Amino acid sequence: MPLGEGFNIVEVMIRCPAPPAWFGNFPTEIMSQNDPIPRKAVYRLSIYNRCLRRLVANGIETVSSSALAKAAGVKPAQLRRDLGHLGQLGTRGLGYSVGSLSEAISIALGRAKLQPVILVGVGNLGTALLRYDGFLKEGFELVMAFDREPEVVKMRLSDSFPVMNQEHMGDYMRAHQVRMAILAVPGEQAQSVANELVQAGVAGILNFSPVVLQVPEGVSVNNVDLALELEQLNYFVKPDKNGADNS
Amino acid sequence: MPLGEGFNIVEVMIRCPAPPAWFGNFPTEIMSQNDPIPRKAVYRLSIYNRCLRRLVANGIETVSSSALAKAAGVKPAQLRRDLGHLGQLGTRGLGYSVGSLSEAISIALGRAKLQPVILVGVGNLGTALLRYDGFLKEGFELVMAFDREPEVVKMRLSDSFPVMNQEHMGDYMRAHQVRMAILAVPGEQAQSVANELVQAGVAGILNFSPVVLQVPEGVSVNNVDLALELEQLNYFVKPDKNGADNS
DNA sequence: TCGTGTGAAGACGTTCACAGCT
DNA sequence: AGCTGTGAACGTCTTCACACGA
């Protein structure tokens, strides 16, 4: 009401692009009772853990913060600070035990009890995600996929992934206690599907559509906006400096 | 040398997960002579621009910072601050002209002169990216795709996208002044392909592989790490609070 | 009066530098 | 000596709050 009349339309019509998730802004940390690990630190901990797994695979048993930091692309001090969130894990003068550190991170990140994940929208992107082995490598498994037109999708897929009709999504989620969803539907449908997910008790959405999702507090959204990413890159690439480095 | 002998192996072997790019850390802003717009602000400006385009499409000609901010999912003050990077664009007491604001952002972000982009690695993800219409919608076009096994890829694709053998990548880039690349190859190949890209004069890489790329200064890398994104979500989803909201 | 633009305050995250343990 | 853990400094981004212009 405070606005001119024409402007109410704005609020109705606009449904906008994704705010890149990790934007330090609002939900910077969680209120897990014992330890509010900042968002960015969680990210980095995941990275450290990947590095550690490689070290394990190579039979290495001890790392210093500087070695691990170099591998992860951060500064040693930051690594130590991040690790500080988990307690005292290192041995002064020696470094960290690769095995126990990895385990500690896994526990802290909740990798022990991975949530089941569903995929909604089996288009180009959705299909790629279904087939993406990176998820499996990291221990995630898409337990079910949903689409508006499951028959069409199944025909397109030569493999036989489980694809259910989207209208059963809510029931499935409730039945299987699913609390995480990957959203890969077209932008126009994104908000309405998100609403359904919320209704079904979703707690986390990985959103690939270029739309800002409105969700109630308590539901966290991670946005991956490909076009935005490209546009940002385009900006940071100076059009100057022509020609390649060396012949 | 300062480290114990075993540790040199570490530096060789580890080639680690992606540091989510926008991590405020190191390359927070560019040194574009006239205006160093901070990284996060660039992101948000892209978002505002999308919102504005929708407003244009709906024939709306004026917005206030609060309306636009709401649509973009940020606070009004932040929007005004971000817009402040571009100069004085609004009219006090009125708001912003949708058209001119959008234009101003487009110019500032360099959307006028979009860089040509190539894709390297036409696997699951690469294919999805090739077909992803979100890029086109935002005005980007993948001018060429490369793969180690272009024949295999072409067979798999029913459509006929241009896919060249990866060994011609460097020449193509130099010939066509390509400075941006999307990297969607398996993690093991990522660094070596990145090296080739750098050799060919790349200035920006959108990296989808779960690996930390080592690139010389002046080359900017944007990482999109899907597994990391999922893992983060998994952490922020409290396993507590069972059952759905309402029957 | 309404909404932009902006100094100043505040919150957050990173980095330094060193105390303390092995 | 070597390396972790951490108080304190620093820098950056966000938010407030209000002066100013329409």
Side-chain angles (χ1 to χ4, degrees):
Chain A
M1 314 317 187
L3 292 167
E5 294 179 331
F7 288 169
N8 284 326
I9 300 176
V10 173
E11 303 199 9
V12 177
M13 292 306 304
I14 306 185
R15 181 101 304 157
C16 257
W22 24 268
F23 265 40
N25 308 23
F26 333 80
T28 281
E29 45 181 66
I30 39 155
M31 48 302 154
S32 166
Q33 254 63 9
N34 26 6
D35 209 338
I37 305 178
R39 212 180 172 89
K40 289 184 176 179
V42 171
Y43 244 106
R44 285 187 299 255
L45 285 169
S46 287
I47 297 178
Y48 306 151
N49 209 359
R50 275 213 199 130
C51 295
L52 289 168
R53 261 176 262 140
R54 302 208 184 188
L55 291 179
V56 168
N58 286 299
I60 295 166
E61 302 195 338
T62 313
V63 252
S64 66
S65 62
S66 49
L68 188 52
K70 187 166 189 178
V74 301
K75 302 209 170 176
Q78 179 150 69
L79 184 133
R80 291 203 299 276
R81 177 78 59 198
D82 287 339
L83 258 35
H85 290 291
L86 315 183
Q88 312 243 129
L89 299 166
T91 314
R92 302 191 182 201
L94 257 172
Y96 300 89
S97 151
V98 173
S100 8
L101 182 53
S102 176
E103 194 180 1
I105 296 179
S106 294
I107 292 172
L109 295 189
R111 280 191 66 96
K113 41 184 162 61
L114 290 183
Q115 311 273 336
V117 184
I118 61 165
L119 170 75
V120 195
V122 191
N124 294 326
L125 209 60
T127 305
L129 294 174
L130 267 186
R131 291 185 173 146
Y132 182 54
D133 58 351
F135 288 147
L136 266 180
K137 275 185 190 164
E138 302 292 331
F140 286 97
E141 189 195 2
L142 299 183
V143 295
M144 184 57 73
F146 296 90
D147 199 281
R148 279 258 155 91
E149 297 164 331
E151 293 78 19
V152 176
V153 168
K154 275 178 196 159
M155 216 128 94
R156 189 159 47 72
L157 297 178
S158 51
D159 344 43
S160 55
F161 280 113
V163 180
M164 285 177 67
N165 191 305
Q166 208 165 301
E167 63 192 12
H168 302 125
M169 190 177 70
D171 293 335
Y172 183 93
M173 288 176 68
R174 278 180 277 261
H176 294 77
Q177 300 279 342
V178 176
R179 313 202 64 229
M180 286 176 56
I182 300 178
L183 191 55
V185 302
E188 308 82 44
Q189 305 170 24
Q191 181 62 55
S192 74
V193 175
N195 292 345
E196 291 178 48
L197 289 169
V198 169
Q199 286 293 315
V202 84
I205 300 176
L206 183 48
N207 174 38
F208 282 88
S209 54
V211 164
V212 102
L213 294 181
Q214 310 287 348
V215 295
E217 201 167 358
V219 177
S220 54
V221 177
N222 253 15
N223 292 298
V224 176
D225 191 317
L226 302 177
L228 230 55
E229 219 73 40
L230 246 195
E231 182 152 9
Q232 204 211 29
L233 201 61
N234 180 68
Y235 176 75
F236 282 103
V237 168
K238 304 159 286 297
D240 187 5
K241 194 220 176 193
N242 54 357
D245 292 7
N246 39 22
S247 70
Chain B
M1 313 315 188
L3 291 168
E5 294 179 331
F7 287 167
N8 286 324
I9 300 176
V10 172
E11 303 199 9
V12 178
M13 293 305 302
I14 305 184
R15 182 101 305 158
C16 255
W22 24 267
F23 264 41
N25 308 23
F26 334 79
T28 280
E29 46 182 67
I30 38 156
M31 48 303 157
S32 166
Q33 254 60 11
N34 27 7
D35 209 339
I37 305 179
R39 212 180 172 91
K40 289 183 176 179
V42 171
Y43 242 106
R44 285 186 300 252
L45 286 169
S46 286
I47 297 179
Y48 306 152
N49 209 359
R50 274 211 199 133
C51 294
L52 289 168
R53 261 177 261 139
R54 302 209 184 188
L55 291 179
V56 169
N58 286 299
I60 294 166
E61 302 194 339
T62 313
V63 252
S64 66
S65 62
S66 50
L68 188 53
K70 187 167 188 178
V74 301
K75 301 210 171 174
Q78 179 149 67
L79 184 134
R80 293 202 298 275
R81 177 75 64 195
D82 287 339
L83 259 34
H85 290 292
L86 315 184
Q88 311 243 129
L89 299 165
T91 314
R92 301 193 181 199
L94 256 171
Y96 300 89
S97 153
V98 173
S100 7
L101 182 53
S102 177
E103 194 180 1
I105 295 179
S106 294
I107 292 172
L109 294 189
R111 279 190 67 94
K113 39 183 165 63
L114 290 183
Q115 311 270 340
V117 184
I118 61 167
L119 170 75
V120 195
V122 193
N124 294 326
L125 210 60
T127 304
L129 294 174
L130 267 185
R131 291 183 173 148
Y132 182 53
D133 58 350
F135 288 148
L136 266 180
K137 276 185 189 164
E138 303 291 331
F140 287 97
E141 189 196 1
L142 300 184
V143 295
M144 184 57 74
F146 296 89
D147 199 280
R148 279 259 156 92
E149 296 164 332
E151 294 77 19
V152 176
V153 168
K154 274 179 195 157
M155 215 129 96
R156 190 159 47 71
L157 298 179
S158 51
D159 344 43
S160 54
F161 280 113
V163 180
M164 286 177 66
N165 191 305
Q166 207 164 302
E167 63 192 13
H168 301 126
M169 190 175 70
D171 293 335
Y172 183 94
M173 288 176 69
R174 278 181 276 260
H176 294 76
Q177 299 279 341
V178 176
R179 312 202 64 230
M180 285 176 57
I182 300 178
L183 191 55
V185 302
E188 308 82 43
Q189 305 170 25
Q191 182 62 54
S192 73
V193 175
N195 292 344
E196 292 178 46
L197 289 170
V198 169
Q199 286 293 315
V202 85
I205 300 176
L206 184 50
N207 174 37
F208 282 88
S209 55
V211 164
V212 103
L213 294 181
Q214 311 286 348
V215 295
E217 201 168 358
V219 177
S220 54
V221 177
N222 254 15
N223 292 298
V224 176
D225 192 317
L226 302 176
L228 229 54
E229 219 73 41
L230 245 195
E231 182 151 10
Q232 203 209 30
L233 200 60
N234 181 67
Y235 175 75
F236 282 104
V237 167
K238 302 159 288 295
D240 186 6
K241 195 221 176 192
N242 55 356
D245 293 6
N246 40 21
S247 72

